[in-house]
Amino acid sequence: MTISVYIKHDWDTFTLDASFSTPAGITALFGRSGSGKTSIINAVAGLFTPQSATINIGELCVFDTQKNINIAPHHRGIGYVFQNARLFPNMSVMKNLAYASRHGRAGAAPTDFDVIIDMLDIRPILHRNPAALSGGEQQRVAIARALLSSPRVLLMDEPLSALDEPRKAEILPYLERMRDTVKIPILYVSHSMAEVARLANHLVILDKGRITAEGPTQTILSDPGMVPFIGVRSAGASIDATIAEHEHDGLTRLLSSGGTLFLPRIHGNIGQPVRVRILAQDVTIALTRPTDISALNILECQVSGIRSGDGPGAIVSLQTGNDVILSRVTKRSVQLLNLTAGTKCFAVIKTVSVSPTEVG
């Protein structure tokens, strides 16, 4: 099932004009505050009525201004997870979930209760009330409640924004598990590139109400042309790797298409695939393989592109195996190294520079 959206709406100082379709998995809507992300998912949910739009969830048209179609929100089959959990405070977790099961989408096959609570690991807290839960636990219950309503599509509006960093790190693995288990499209709104890079299969970047890029997440993140919309400090590409070994000194050895990577110990079994985000500011370029340095990660590369900014910096695209990584350097370094498309070089990445939250 896919979601297809065309929406146009004019406010006094802002126009939203966007059109996209989602594949399976998580499609992230990313952009600065005020770019139109929440307006889009609220239109999909039926909480906002745009001036002109066509919205289809699979074969079901839920909104079409030309055909005068506007299905009521409670008949669209939407599961919605807000920034705050919004659980019923006078009900236990079990009663919150039972309510969703009873009042779910009419005619839909019931969602397997045990699969959902085990996927989100909330069985030990079923007897507790929301006030006795941590923020991360409340959000996991909110996700379970949305899924138990047997929705056609799941909408998530910055579900981690109210959590501190430890709680975000706690819940991200559950979101990955949900992405890989639940067979419905998920629209995920975020302004955190770390979340998007780790979770999303598909990415839609919005700027001032318009789409500047849409496509597979790893493809878009490896494009230096997206840096103005992502932000220089958030610029970085994601690569796929496989866990090869957990070594005795606390490092994990990964195998990627470009070579071996060492990272601080990550959770996972030998042979398990992982996605690693490497920030452009953590990648140094050398023309010859460095020796006698502390960095353990040295990948053989070829320059595939260079994008200069308005200031002293530049973003260099580096092809390594089947992957592309980005390096943020100065224009002076580009000139001193005589970097051009096709230049053979080496990317140097400090092992400890890759945060555990950047590995999914």
Side-chain angles (χ1 to χ4, degrees), residues 151-164:
R152 292 186 175 92
V153 60
L154 183 64
L155 307 179
M156 307 185 79
D157 186 11
E158 303 209 42
L160 306 186
S161 64
L163 305 180
D164 57 24

Side-chain angles (χ1 to χ4, degrees), residues 17-332:
D17 189 351
S19 178
F20 64 92
S21 295
T22 71
I26 293 179
T27 294
L29 302 181
F30 176 84
R32 298 180 179 90
S33 296
S35 60
K37 307 183 298 296
T38 298
S39 295
I40 289 174
I41 66 166
N42 281 343
V44 174
L47 305 180
F48 161 59
T49 303
Q51 294 163 344
S52 178
T54 302
I55 302 171
N56 294 287
I57 300 175
E59 299 299 319
L60 176 67
C61 179
V62 297
F63 189 90
D64 191 318
T65 45
Q66 291 187 342
K67 297 179 180 179
N68 198 30
I69 295 173
N70 186 5
I71 294 179
H74 59 284
H75 290 311
R76 294 191 182 192
I78 299 292
Y80 204 135
V81 181
F82 297 88
Q83 294 180 22
N84 297 306
R86 303 192 183 188
L87 303 174
F88 297 123
N90 60 327
M91 295 184 182
S92 67
V93 169
M94 184 67 183
K95 290 181 178 179
N96 267 274
L97 301 182
Y99 181 91
S101 296
R102 287 196 308 271
H103 298 277
R105 178 163 58 98
T111 303
D112 192 310
F113 183 88
D114 289 323
V115 168
I116 298 300
I117 64 170
D118 289 339
M119 177 183 71
L120 294 165
D121 194 21
I122 56 177
R123 192 177 295 276
I125 60 174
L126 289 176
H127 65 287
R128 291 158 62 183
N129 273 28
L133 305 179
S134 70
E137 289 171 334
Q138 288 183 21
Q139 283 301 79
R140 280 154 52 199
V141 174
I143 294 168
R145 186 176 66 175
L147 292 173
L148 286 168
S149 68
S150 302
R152 292 186 175 92
V153 60
L154 183 64
L155 307 179
M156 307 185 79
D157 186 11
E158 303 209 42
L160 306 186
S161 64
L163 305 180
D164 57 24
E165 292 305 317
R167 300 291 79 75
K168 288 182 183 179
E170 168 193 303
I171 200 171
L172 277 168
Y174 295 104
L175 296 182
E176 290 172 321
R177 192 182 303 173
M178 178 192 69
R179 173 199 64 201
D180 299 334
T181 303
V182 177
K183 303 304 180 184
I184 60 173
I186 301 167
L187 271 182
Y188 189 99
V189 168
S190 179
H191 64 269
S192 167
M193 184 47 67
E195 289 176 31
V196 169
R198 181 165 169 175
L199 295 173
N201 310 92
H202 197 76
L203 176 58
V204 178
I205 295 183
L206 287 153
D207 182 56
K208 299 176 182 177
R210 286 172 168 77
I211 294 174
T212 60
E214 178 194 357
T217 301
Q218 287 172 281
T219 300
I220 291 179
L221 295 186
S222 64
D223 180 359
M226 292 296 102
V227 172
F229 306 103
I230 293 172
V232 172
R233 295 188 180 278
S234 296
S238 294
I239 66 172
D240 292 321
T242 302
I243 296 176
E245 186 177 1
H246 298 298
E247 305 205 342
H248 69 279
D249 58 355
L251 299 181
T252 296
R253 179 165 59 89
L254 304 177
L255 295 180
S256 72
S257 66
T260 299
L261 288 172
F262 291 94
L263 298 183
R265 180 68 62 95
I266 61 177
H267 296 292
N269 299 321
I270 305 302
Q272 179 177 322
V274 293
R275 182 190 296 182
V276 181
R277 181 169 177 249
I278 301 172
L279 293 176
Q281 64 190 17
D282 294 328
V283 179
T284 301
I285 299 174
L287 292 181
T288 59
R289 181 178 288 274
T291 59
D292 301 324
I293 64 171
S294 61
L296 298 177
N297 299 318
I298 301 173
L299 300 178
E300 190 170 350
C301 301
Q302 178 175 304
V303 175
S304 57
I306 301 171
R307 180 182 178 89
S308 296
D310 295 330
I315 298 290
V316 181
S317 301
L318 301 169
Q319 184 78 39
T320 174
N322 299 324
D323 298 304
V324 174
I325 60 176
L326 302 180
S327 175
R328 179 186 171 201
V329 298
T330 63
K331 294 176 185 175
R332 182 176 297 186

